Amino acid sequence: MDFASFLTSLATSFILFVVLMLLFTWLSRKPGNKEVYYPNRILRGLDPWEGGSGRTRNPFAWIREALSSSEQDVIAMSGVDTAVYFVFLSTVLGILVLSGVVLLPVLLPVAATDNFMKSSNDTSKGTFNDLDKLSMGHIEEKSPRLWAFLIATYWVSFVAYYLLWKAYNHVSDLRAAALMSPEVRPEQYSILVRDIPPPPEGQTRKEQVDSYFKAIYPDTYYKSMVVTNNKKVNKIWEDLEGYKKKLAHAEAVYAESKKTGKPEGTKPTNKTGFLGLLGEKVDSIEYYNQKINESVSKLEAEQKVTLGEKQQASALVFFTSRVAAASAAQSLHAQLVDTWTVMDAPEARQLIWPNLPKNFYERQIRQILVYVIVALTILFYMIPIGLVSAVTTLANLKKILPFIKPIANIVAIKTVLEAYLPQIALIIFLALLPKFLLFLSKEEGIPSESHAQRAASGKYFYFSVFNVFIGVTVGGTLFDSLKEIEKDPKSIVDILATSLPANATFFLTFVALKFFVGYGLELSRLVPLIIYHLKRKYLCKTEDELKAAWTPGDLGLATRVPSDLLVITIVLCYSIIAPIIIPFGALYFAIGWLALKVYVPSYESYGKMWPHIHTRLVAALVLFQVTMFGYCGIKKFYYTPLIVPLPILSLIFAFFCSKKFYRFFQATALEVACRELKETPNMEQVFRSYIPPSLNAEKVDEDQFEDAASQVSRSQSFV
Amino acid sequence: MDFASFLTSLATSFILFVVLMLLFTWLSRKPGNKEVYYPNRILRGLDPWEGGSGRTRNPFAWIREALSSSEQDVIAMSGVDTAVYFVFLSTVLGILVLSGVVLLPVLLPVAATDNFMKSSNDTSKGTFNDLDKLSMGHIEEKSPRLWAFLIATYWVSFVAYYLLWKAYNHVSDLRAAALMSPEVRPEQYSILVRDIPPPPEGQTRKEQVDSYFKAIYPDTYYKSMVVTNNKKVNKIWEDLEGYKKKLAHAEAVYAESKKTGKPEGTKPTNKTGFLGLLGEKVDSIEYYNQKINESVSKLEAEQKVTLGEKQQASALVFFTSRVAAASAAQSLHAQLVDTWTVMDAPEARQLIWPNLPKNFYERQIRQILVYVIVALTILFYMIPIGLVSAVTTLANLKKILPFIKPIANIVAIKTVLEAYLPQIALIIFLALLPKFLLFLSKEEGIPSESHAQRAASGKYFYFSVFNVFIGVTVGGTLFDSLKEIEKDPKSIVDILATSLPANATFFLTFVALKFFVGYGLELSRLVPLIIYHLKRKYLCKTEDELKAAWTPGDLGLATRVPSDLLVITIVLCYSIIAPIIIPFGALYFAIGWLALKVYVPSYESYGKMWPHIHTRLVAALVLFQVTMFGYCGIKKFYYTPLIVPLPILSLIFAFFCSKKFYRFFQATALEVACRELKETPNMEQVFRSYIPPSLNAEKVDEDQFEDAASQVSRSQSFV
């Protein structure tokens, strides 16, 4: 790729971005779109337009609002996890800005004024381009100018240490503030107990759990909820909810038909067979009413069976004080460490019930299996990605598909294709993966959604770094110069050295594309807008259906964080080799900061994502430092070993941070949990918040729920 | 070493053993020696002679008693740690016996009847000897007979897994039983808090600690004891105790002189200068009385200063219930993980006070430094040991010291020298190290004596394995055949293969020597007996002095365990290569079981030694399996890769054991701590048991101790 195609790519993305922003400005002022653009405000019952006095909203006011809204507002609106993500973005932005203000004015002139490449490459094949003049590749071997690059490595590292340290401290405070809040949060009063041994003869699970914890915590133990196998009851409940929705839909259709058609209306009908396409034609309202009645009685029967007979080796245990729960979640309870294992209870909404009763060793084995599968995925995706990045250069395409030659020779198309082809292939490729990784993470037996997301995020990060960053760099190079390596295997080092600056342009474009097109699409919310209007027009009949159509999704941190981490890894690694990448990276993280107002987080883990992010940022830093060591070595710089202390320093930094902060992210510190509350918690409410909806039908009142469990327990103990 | 010298060595050690045992029989029957032979019984106020009816004790009755005394007796007499050591001995004995009963009848005939060596070595230099006929080295390459050795490897491994598993389970039960005992043990009511941050303005340490824990544990918090810098007060107290002892001694001398000499007696005198050799001559009784008075007032003043002004960043915190203390010791207390770190309080008697206030990071740095020093020690001791083992073969000695040639040529002396020289050098060498390692371990900042002993034991084990086992095997070989390796570096593998069976004889003798002479000396207790009688005759004048002279020492697990582990490592590694080593190993561990009755353990860690032992036993097993893999490979056995699953299985076994049992050895399980007590604990007594003797003078009564601390605190807070 030469300088022209890079500029073209930049220009086209920028134009696309401007168009999307204009669209956004226009669309977001239309009242009919307010649900898509301001869902968060509507969900909270606020007026979507700031001023409220009939004035249509200025989109820049929205940006101003985003900039001016304090962290406390973010936490109040979207929770600690979102605030932590903002800390991540601003920390990375800080690193890039502080690095950029020193590196750009210093390193670019230092590189551009060196005349090594000019003299030595005059006779070469002209692969050298204007962009590369601004990179470290332009510096002569052994040149004293390399000192500037070495010192810059130190500068970037120390900026990163300082800001990461501050961020960890800050996130720890955010977490502490949330955990010591005077509000009652049910998850702070409960612990999750797993690996309960088989109950002794003549005792039910519930009696076993109750007597066990009552003996240890005579004063603070409240109640337990034994985890049950809800597969069947959930199925019935989902069917019931489905019928209810369909009934509401059918009634809305009927009501509408009264208004538009005959005054008595047309009763909607449906077929009972496969997908509503086959079978008998029936009156929908009657049919669904009957189905609902059937399901309700089936549900009640199944609820009793589930509560009584499907108790499993796991339980939620509730305490009357936060300190007792926090302390219990950290203490070893049983002499045999693999029984009665305890942990902080996750929020009720993010519990993965089917995973709770999984045995300790089953979890271990599942984890190992999943790791093996992920490792295989990472390794074997490398081959296709390597091929994609090697094949989708225009020169290669022309060789392989000769019929595109005439088209590809038109200058405009050629430049656009050259600029975008490999990047688009890569981005589509990566979009397929996250769901698979999340599925695998859940299969590990992880008990909570947020933990599974973190696990998936970690896997996705390793995948990205290995396949996109290392895969593209080495893969592209290998393909280009396989023959050279065949002749002399040692030349691989030199090839890597030349390939790093060459790939800089690729990754520069990659970052720019992610920024302009990715964020442009996200900010404009074109896709959700179109889907919403289509649904509103043709599908949604009831209020609930409409709300479901515009309610925004989760932040999706499981994919967002690793792809951001990939960008910062790339930007860091190239920050010295080709400092021109820094402004693009900085823009990427600056805009990311604005784009998140519309999401509603679907869980709260009180910032447990941060240590995960922190570790990977430090890993990116180490990769950067090692890369710089290698690259300085290739430049035959005499003082290259001076970089060696840096990776060591990074490891010490990581160790230090982990020792100072990490355990607080695994467990709740007691000094935090012992803060006073606004009111005495309503323990019954805390307890009930954990009853899954399928077991919590309106008809079954509190006493019955308790009774059902105890009655069946008692009757069982006589069997 | 040939077969004759091996037999000589065996015979001489055996004779020595018999002589020592006869001595023991004779000496232990003399009433004047009862304190040395039955100190445990006397300390507990029991009659040293079993029957008690004037009958002199039969030494074999003692053995019978040792065999018949149950584990409960051992725990009652000497605590859980001693019982755990017995479990270790019996487990290892079990492994060796179960291996031996299969391996000896099978492998010895298989090896002896192979005629490979005979035919191929007829022409060699005659290095081959009768003993080697019974070893695996005698098997032909690629012989199908190697199957027997491969299967034997599996047999030994599975026997070890089974018995180690049972032992871990058993030790865990022992620990649980001790921790759930209805007796009040002060250490179960207290936790050790370290890394306390600087107290806020206007608060003393004590107020800070009290308010912090009162907020978290309003119901179960009892009191705290801030750790003070006791260096000065300890010095004064030790001086005082010294003067008291000297006064008692002087009075005893005076009383004796009245009886033996003039009726008015001779007043003892001493010189006040350096070591009592220089300076003014004074009346001892008067002088020491004066000194005592001086010290008492100095001590009282210093106690006040210490309690008030020398409070440091560490404290012992007491709770009114075992569960509260056990749970507090495991919970994270502070948001910043490196402050308010907590752990189970060790017993008062084994606290290392100067280490308690050491900062978290200081501990880390000290640990790293100590590890570096230990690693250097391990590596650089290898050179002298290698030299010792290479030089102290008689042939080498004759070369280096030609003047011993005439002596060394006398057959009897030659054989004895050949048999013992290298082993004695090695044993003396190893005796110098443990104190140094214990010192280093304490320098790490470890808070308790038993933990420091474990740490020292680990270091000593690594040292032993690296230097004795690997060092001697490779070192001896390297020296013998350095020239061959110079010619062809690849020959090192073959040299190793031949050196393993050659060194078998060395280690066989080593084990036999340790067994016959080491245990012979220990059982007969000749050294303590001689020292006791010398002291009784010439030094001891008072009852206290006499008691100090016969009171037996600690078990010395810090050196005993690693040297036993070294023996089992050696025996395991040679168990298949030269199965004849097994009976010697079995005897070693069988006798070790008998030899421990006379020691009084100086601390109790409730079996925390076991995971340490277990890990190293598994490590020895892995070393054995890897050795077998290497050796089968050298024998060019086609099915050698079948051994590969074994080390993997060992690692899985270690992982499984650690997951099932380990954490209970780090912390007290709450289900154990919640057992009922015989009586409500006297918390004041629990608290006072932790006051160091130097701060606990008789004159300062309970209220005063409290008052002193609080008064000074209050007055300080106004400064």
Side-chain angles (χ1 to χ4, degrees):
Chain A
M1 192 191 303
D2 56 25
F3 197 55
S5 76
F6 170 69
L7 282 185
T8 318
S9 126
L10 219 59
T12 31
S13 353
F14 183 69
I15 290 164
L16 203 59
F17 184 68
V18 169
V19 169
L20 286 168
M21 283 301 103
L22 289 174
L23 256 174
F24 163 66
T25 314
W26 179 63
L27 288 169
S28 69
R29 291 164 84 116
K30 299 195 116 184
N33 297 337
K34 68 171 193 293
E35 287 89 353
V36 173
Y37 288 101
Y38 312 106
N40 238 325
R41 297 182 73 89
I42 294 173
L43 280 175
R44 281 161 200 274
L46 299 173
D47 177 28
W49 282 276
E50 212 179 1
S53 55
R55 194 159 53 91
T56 49
R57 187 185 164 90
N58 176 350
F60 298 101
W62 175 75
I63 290 175
R64 208 187 58 222
E65 189 199 353
L67 281 169
S68 68
S69 73
S70 76
E71 196 164 49
Q72 287 313 311
D73 300 338
V74 173
I75 292 174
M77 287 284 270
S78 318
V80 180
D81 286 348
T82 312
V84 165
Y85 182 65
F86 279 99
V87 171
F88 163 56
L89 292 180
S90 52
T91 303
V92 171
L93 182 61
I95 294 173
L96 292 182
V97 168
L98 278 183
S99 305
V101 294
V102 172
L103 264 53
L104 289 175
V106 173
L107 296 191
L108 291 188
V110 167
T113 56
D114 202 287
N115 48 7
F116 154 63
M117 283 300 224
K118 207 175 280 167
S119 54
S120 72
N121 267 17
D122 270 348
T123 52
S124 82
K125 287 160 277 173
T127 53
F128 184 71
N129 65 47
D130 295 335
L131 207 65
D132 288 346
K133 265 188 202 152
L134 299 173
S135 82
M136 193 175 158
H138 193 233
I139 301 284
E140 200 172 355
E141 276 180 9
K142 297 181 191 166
S143 159
R145 289 180 181 226
L146 289 167
W147 270 109
F149 293 87
L150 195 148
I151 291 163
T153 313
Y154 268 86
W155 171 252
V156 173
S157 302
F158 279 96
V159 163
Y161 296 148
Y162 173 68
L163 290 176
L164 283 176
W165 173 260
K166 263 186 65 181
Y168 216 143
N169 222 332
H170 181 59
V171 170
S172 173
D173 286 342
L174 290 183
R175 177 174 163 83
L179 288 175
M180 64 172 71
S181 116
E183 307 287 333
V184 173
R185 303 187 197 224
E187 64 273 16
Q188 289 196 283
Y189 290 87
S190 47
I191 66 168
L192 176 60
V193 184
R194 305 171 86 180
D195 310 308
I196 304 176
E201 200 74 35
Q203 253 191 340
T204 62
R205 279 263 175 239
K206 192 153 175 58
E207 287 162 3
Q208 181 198 16
V209 172
D210 283 342
S211 66
Y212 188 84
F213 283 97
K214 251 179 211 153
I216 298 175
Y217 306 97
D219 305 321
T220 51
Y221 176 70
Y222 175 67
K223 228 184 215 181
S224 69
M225 182 187 290
V226 175
V227 169
T228 47
N229 183 346
N230 297 345
K231 209 175 157 188
K232 211 168 159 194
V233 80
N234 278 348
K235 177 77 186 68
I236 298 172
W237 184 76
E238 273 157 25
D239 286 349
L240 176 63
E241 292 297 302
Y243 294 139
K244 280 184 185 163
K245 272 187 200 150
K246 280 178 187 157
L247 178 64
H249 185 89
E251 276 168 350
V253 169
Y254 183 50
E256 206 179 0
S257 75
K258 276 185 191 162
K259 273 183 240 159
T260 54
K262 294 168 281 180
E264 77 277 11
T266 321
K267 287 221 167 184
T269 57
N270 66 307
K271 290 182 179 166
T272 58
F274 177 73
L275 282 178
L277 297 174
L278 302 171
E280 207 188 340
K281 204 171 184 179
V282 292
D283 178 335
S284 294
I285 295 177
E286 231 167 73
Y287 175 73
Y288 287 125
N289 264 321
Q290 183 203 334
K291 276 283 180 193
I292 286 171
N293 288 336
E294 273 172 30
S295 296
V296 165
S297 57
K298 254 168 83 186
L299 183 66
E300 274 170 33
E302 184 58 33
Q303 280 177 342
K304 272 201 185 130
V305 171
T306 304
L307 289 174
E309 288 164 24
K310 293 186 176 174
Q311 298 184 5
Q312 295 191 287
S314 175
L316 288 150
V317 172
F318 298 87
F319 294 89
T320 53
S321 99
R322 290 205 290 206
V323 173
S327 169
Q330 301 172 48
S331 297
L332 174 69
H333 281 75
Q335 183 198 334
L336 294 178
V337 183
D338 60 351
T339 58
W340 298 99
T341 54
V342 292
M343 56 177 291
D344 272 320
E347 288 176 312
R349 56 178 169 172
Q350 55 163 315
L351 271 177
I352 306 176
W353 278 68
N355 277 347
L356 301 187
K358 291 214 170 91
N359 175 279
F360 181 82
Y361 297 102
E362 189 187 338
R363 268 141 49 203
Q364 296 287 343
I365 291 165
R366 278 168 173 269
Q367 200 177 34
I368 291 167
L369 285 180
V370 165
Y371 285 178
V372 169
I373 294 172
V374 170
L376 289 180
T377 311
I378 289 177
L379 288 176
F380 287 104
Y381 262 69
M382 211 141 173
I383 298 164
I385 285 227
L387 286 176
V388 163
S389 102
V391 164
T392 52
T393 62
L394 206 60
N396 277 326
L397 276 186
K398 275 192 274 187
K399 267 185 236 157
I400 297 161
L401 312 166
F403 57 87
I404 65 159
K405 235 180 192 165
I407 312 165
N409 282 347
I410 303 162
V411 177
I413 292 178
K414 183 185 160 185
T415 351
V416 171
L417 276 182
E418 267 202 335
Y420 281 141
L421 254 177
Q423 288 84 354
I424 288 173
L426 193 59
I427 285 168
I428 292 172
F429 205 67
L430 288 175
L432 300 169
L433 199 69
K435 280 205 191 299
F436 176 60
L437 294 178
L438 186 61
F439 163 78
L440 280 181
S441 300
K442 283 184 183 167
E443 284 303 301
E444 280 180 41
I446 288 170
S448 74
E449 198 71 40
S450 64
H451 189 171
Q453 299 255 11
R454 283 199 298 282
S457 161
K459 297 182 177 75
Y460 194 60
F461 172 71
Y462 291 120
F463 180 87
S464 311
V465 168
F466 272 92
N467 285 305
V468 181
F469 186 53
I470 297 178
V472 167
T473 312
V474 177
T477 313
L478 285 180
F479 201 88
D480 283 352
S481 43
L482 216 60
K483 279 175 200 164
E484 269 182 63
I485 291 172
E486 267 182 341
K487 279 182 222 151
D488 176 17
K490 278 177 193 164
S491 68
I492 194 162
V493 177
D494 307 318
I495 289 161
L496 249 178
T498 47
S499 86
L500 276 171
N503 279 297
T505 325
F506 175 91
F507 284 113
L508 236 167
T509 324
F510 179 75
V511 171
L513 198 71
K514 276 212 114 179
F515 162 58
F516 284 123
V517 181
Y519 276 130
L521 273 174
E522 196 169 347
L523 277 174
S524 70
R525 286 184 71 70
L526 266 188
V527 179
L529 189 76
I530 293 165
I531 292 173
Y532 168 62
H533 282 293
L534 285 176
K535 278 194 178 171
R536 192 166 68 167
K537 190 123 193 177
Y538 300 107
L539 289 171
C540 303
K541 297 295 168 189
T542 63
E543 271 299 305
D544 281 348
E545 284 174 334
L546 258 184
K547 195 174 165 188
W550 61 254
T551 299
D554 189 51
L555 267 170
L557 290 182
T559 50
R560 198 175 280 271
V561 167
S563 71
D564 289 352
L565 282 171
L566 174 63
V567 173
I568 181 65
T569 306
I570 291 171
V571 173
L572 264 186
C573 286
Y574 280 104
S575 62
I576 308 261
I577 293 175
I580 198 83
I581 205 170
I582 293 177
F584 292 95
L587 265 177
Y588 177 85
F589 288 101
I591 289 284
W593 205 60
L594 294 174
L596 292 169
K597 292 243 101 180
V598 292
Y599 296 99
V600 178
S602 59
Y603 54 77
E604 174 67 272
S605 71
Y606 301 104
K608 279 191 179 175
M609 191 66 153
W610 181 258
H612 176 96
I613 294 175
H614 177 86
T615 314
R616 280 157 187 79
L617 281 176
V618 175
L621 200 63
V622 172
L623 189 60
F624 154 64
Q625 290 158 344
V626 170
T627 310
M628 282 313 296
F629 175 73
Y631 197 60
C632 281
I634 280 156
K635 283 279 171 194
K636 293 180 184 145
F637 186 47
Y638 190 71
Y639 297 97
T640 306
L642 286 178
I643 298 178
V644 171
L646 274 182
I648 296 167
L649 212 62
S650 297
L651 295 179
I652 292 172
F653 175 73
F655 170 81
F656 192 70
C657 285
S658 128
K659 283 293 170 191
K660 190 161 188 85
F661 301 113
Y662 183 51
R663 217 187 132 198
F664 179 52
F665 285 81
Q666 295 179 294
T668 307
L670 299 188
E671 71 174 16
V672 165
C674 76
R675 295 303 172 95
E676 266 176 39
L677 286 159
K678 216 159 56 182
E679 51 187 348
T680 330
N682 178 344
M683 283 311 296
E684 195 52 37
Q685 207 172 313
V686 166
F687 175 75
R688 289 195 65 82
S689 74
Y690 271 93
I691 300 174
S694 60
L695 290 174
N696 196 17
E698 301 93 49
K699 279 201 171 175
V700 184
D701 72 15
E702 293 174 28
D703 296 328
Q704 271 181 324
F705 184 84
E706 263 305 280
D707 280 355
S710 338
Q711 269 172 14
V712 181
S713 309
R714 259 171 251 133
S715 65
Q716 231 186 5
S717 66
F718 293 125
V719 174
Chain B
M1 191 193 299
D2 58 26
F3 195 57
S5 75
F6 170 70
L7 282 185
T8 317
S9 124
L10 218 61
T12 30
S13 348
F14 182 71
I15 290 163
L16 204 58
F17 184 70
V18 168
V19 168
L20 286 168
M21 283 301 101
L22 288 173
L23 255 175
F24 162 66
T25 315
W26 179 62
L27 288 169
S28 69
R29 292 163 84 115
K30 298 193 117 183
N33 298 337
K34 67 173 192 290
E35 287 89 352
V36 173
Y37 288 103
Y38 312 105
N40 240 324
R41 298 182 72 89
I42 293 173
L43 280 176
R44 282 161 198 274
L46 298 174
D47 177 27
W49 282 276
E50 213 181 358
S53 56
R55 196 159 51 92
T56 50
R57 186 185 166 88
N58 176 348
F60 297 101
W62 174 76
I63 290 173
R64 207 186 57 222
E65 187 198 355
L67 281 169
S68 68
S69 72
S70 76
E71 196 164 50
Q72 287 314 312
D73 301 339
V74 172
I75 293 174
M77 286 284 270
S78 317
V80 180
D81 285 349
T82 311
V84 165
Y85 181 66
F86 279 102
V87 172
F88 162 57
L89 293 180
S90 52
T91 303
V92 171
L93 181 61
I95 294 173
L96 292 181
V97 168
L98 278 183
S99 305
V101 294
V102 173
L103 264 53
L104 290 175
V106 173
L107 295 192
L108 291 187
V110 167
T113 56
D114 201 287
N115 49 7
F116 155 64
M117 283 301 223
K118 206 177 280 169
S119 55
S120 71
N121 266 15
D122 269 350
T123 52
S124 81
K125 288 161 279 173
T127 53
F128 184 70
N129 65 48
D130 294 333
L131 207 63
D132 288 346
K133 264 186 205 155
L134 298 173
S135 82
M136 193 174 156
H138 193 234
I139 301 285
E140 200 172 352
E141 276 179 10
K142 296 179 190 168
S143 160
R145 290 181 179 224
L146 289 166
W147 271 111
F149 294 86
L150 196 148
I151 291 165
T153 312
Y154 269 85
W155 170 252
V156 172
S157 302
F158 280 96
V159 163
Y161 296 149
Y162 173 69
L163 289 176
L164 283 176
W165 173 261
K166 264 185 64 181
Y168 216 142
N169 222 332
H170 181 58
V171 170
S172 174
D173 286 341
L174 290 184
R175 176 174 163 85
L179 288 174
M180 64 173 72
S181 115
E183 307 287 332
V184 174
R185 303 188 197 221
E187 63 274 18
Q188 289 198 285
Y189 290 88
S190 48
I191 65 169
L192 175 60
V193 184
R194 305 171 86 179
D195 309 306
I196 304 176
E201 200 73 37
Q203 252 191 341
T204 62
R205 277 263 174 238
K206 189 149 179 61
E207 285 162 2
Q208 181 197 18
V209 173
D210 282 341
S211 67
Y212 188 85
F213 282 97
K214 252 180 210 152
I216 298 176
Y217 305 98
D219 304 321
T220 51
Y221 176 71
Y222 176 68
K223 228 185 214 181
S224 69
M225 182 188 291
V226 175
V227 169
T228 48
N229 183 345
N230 297 346
K231 209 174 156 188
K232 209 167 161 195
V233 78
N234 277 348
K235 176 79 186 69
I236 297 171
W237 184 77
E238 273 158 25
D239 286 352
L240 175 63
E241 292 298 300
Y243 295 140
K244 279 183 187 165
K245 272 188 200 152
K246 281 181 186 156
L247 177 64
H249 186 89
E251 276 168 352
V253 169
Y254 183 50
E256 205 177 3
S257 76
K258 276 185 192 163
K259 274 184 239 158
T260 55
K262 292 166 283 177
E264 76 278 8
T266 320
K267 288 222 167 187
T269 57
N270 66 305
K271 288 180 180 168
T272 58
F274 176 74
L275 283 176
L277 297 173
L278 303 170
E280 208 187 338
K281 204 169 183 179
V282 291
D283 179 337
S284 294
I285 296 177
E286 232 167 75
Y287 175 72
Y288 288 124
N289 264 323
Q290 181 202 336
K291 277 284 179 192
I292 287 171
N293 287 337
E294 273 172 30
S295 297
V296 166
S297 57
K298 251 167 86 185
L299 182 66
E300 275 172 36
E302 184 57 31
Q303 279 176 344
K304 272 201 184 130
V305 172
T306 304
L307 289 174
E309 288 163 26
K310 293 187 177 171
Q311 297 185 3
Q312 295 191 289
S314 176
L316 288 150
V317 172
F318 298 86
F319 294 89
T320 53
S321 98
R322 288 204 293 205
V323 173
S327 170
Q330 301 173 48
S331 298
L332 174 69
H333 282 74
Q335 183 197 334
L336 294 179
V337 182
D338 59 352
T339 58
W340 296 101
T341 53
V342 292
M343 58 179 287
D344 272 321
E347 290 177 311
R349 57 179 168 172
Q350 54 164 315
L351 273 177
I352 306 176
W353 277 68
N355 277 346
L356 301 187
K358 289 213 171 90
N359 175 279
F360 182 82
Y361 297 101
E362 188 186 338
R363 264 137 55 200
Q364 295 288 343
I365 291 166
R366 277 167 174 270
Q367 201 177 34
I368 292 168
L369 285 180
V370 165
Y371 285 179
V372 169
I373 293 172
V374 170
L376 289 179
T377 311
I378 289 177
L379 288 177
F380 287 103
Y381 261 70
M382 210 141 171
I383 299 164
I385 285 229
L387 287 177
V388 163
S389 102
V391 163
T392 54
T393 62
L394 205 60
N396 278 324
L397 275 185
K398 275 191 272 183
K399 267 184 237 157
I400 298 161
L401 312 166
F403 57 85
I404 64 158
K405 233 180 193 170
I407 311 165
N409 282 347
I410 301 161
V411 177
I413 292 177
K414 182 185 162 189
T415 349
V416 171
L417 277 181
E418 267 200 336
Y420 282 142
L421 257 176
Q423 289 83 353
I424 288 173
L426 194 58
I427 286 168
I428 291 171
F429 206 66
L430 287 175
L432 302 170
L433 200 68
K435 279 204 190 300
F436 177 60
L437 293 179
L438 186 63
F439 164 76
L440 280 180
S441 300
K442 284 186 184 168
E443 284 303 302
E444 280 180 42
I446 289 170
S448 74
E449 197 71 41
S450 64
H451 189 170
Q453 299 255 9
R454 282 199 298 281
S457 162
K459 297 183 178 75
Y460 194 60
F461 172 71
Y462 290 121
F463 179 86
S464 310
V465 168
F466 272 92
N467 285 306
V468 181
F469 186 53
I470 298 178
V472 166
T473 312
V474 178
T477 313
L478 283 181
F479 201 87
D480 282 353
S481 45
L482 216 60
K483 278 175 200 163
E484 268 181 65
I485 293 171
E486 267 183 340
K487 279 182 220 151
D488 176 18
K490 278 177 194 164
S491 69
I492 193 162
V493 178
D494 306 318
I495 288 162
L496 251 178
T498 47
S499 85
L500 276 172
N503 280 296
T505 323
F506 174 91
F507 285 113
L508 235 166
T509 322
F510 179 75
V511 171
L513 199 71
K514 276 213 113 178
F515 162 59
F516 284 123
V517 181
Y519 278 130
L521 273 174
E522 197 168 347
L523 278 173
S524 68
R525 287 184 69 71
L526 267 188
V527 179
L529 189 77
I530 292 164
I531 292 172
Y532 168 64
H533 281 292
L534 284 176
K535 277 194 179 170
R536 191 167 69 165
K537 188 124 193 176
Y538 300 107
L539 289 171
C540 304
K541 298 295 170 192
T542 63
E543 271 300 304
D544 282 348
E545 283 173 335
L546 257 186
K547 195 175 167 188
W550 60 257
T551 299
D554 188 51
L555 266 170
L557 288 182
T559 49
R560 196 174 283 269
V561 167
S563 72
D564 288 352
L565 281 170
L566 174 64
V567 172
I568 180 66
T569 307
I570 291 169
V571 174
L572 264 186
C573 285
Y574 281 103
S575 63
I576 308 260
I577 293 176
I580 197 81
I581 205 171
I582 294 177
F584 293 94
L587 265 176
Y588 177 85
F589 289 100
I591 288 285
W593 205 61
L594 294 174
L596 293 169
K597 292 242 100 180
V598 291
Y599 296 100
V600 178
S602 59
Y603 55 79
E604 174 67 90
S605 72
Y606 301 104
K608 279 193 180 174
M609 191 66 154
W610 182 257
H612 175 96
I613 295 175
H614 178 86
T615 314
R616 279 158 188 80
L617 280 176
V618 175
L621 200 62
V622 172
L623 188 60
F624 154 63
Q625 290 159 344
V626 170
T627 310
M628 281 314 297
F629 176 73
Y631 196 60
C632 280
I634 281 157
K635 283 279 172 192
K636 293 183 183 140
F637 186 44
Y638 189 72
Y639 298 97
T640 304
L642 284 177
I643 298 178
V644 171
L646 275 182
I648 296 168
L649 211 63
S650 296
L651 295 180
I652 293 172
F653 175 73
F655 171 81
F656 191 72
C657 284
S658 128
K659 285 293 168 189
K660 190 161 187 84
F661 301 114
Y662 183 50
R663 216 185 135 202
F664 179 53
F665 285 82
Q666 295 179 295
T668 306
L670 299 187
E671 71 173 17
V672 165
C674 77
R675 295 304 172 94
E676 265 174 39
L677 286 159
K678 218 159 54 183
E679 52 188 347
T680 330
N682 177 345
M683 283 311 296
E684 195 52 38
Q685 208 172 315
V686 166
F687 175 75
R688 289 194 65 82
S689 75
Y690 271 92
I691 300 173
S694 60
L695 291 173
N696 197 16
E698 300 93 50
K699 278 198 172 178
V700 184
D701 73 13
E702 293 173 27
D703 297 328
Q704 271 182 324
F705 183 83
E706 264 305 280
D707 281 355
S710 339
Q711 269 174 13
V712 181
S713 308
R714 258 173 251 133
S715 64
Q716 228 184 11
S717 66
F718 291 125
V719 175

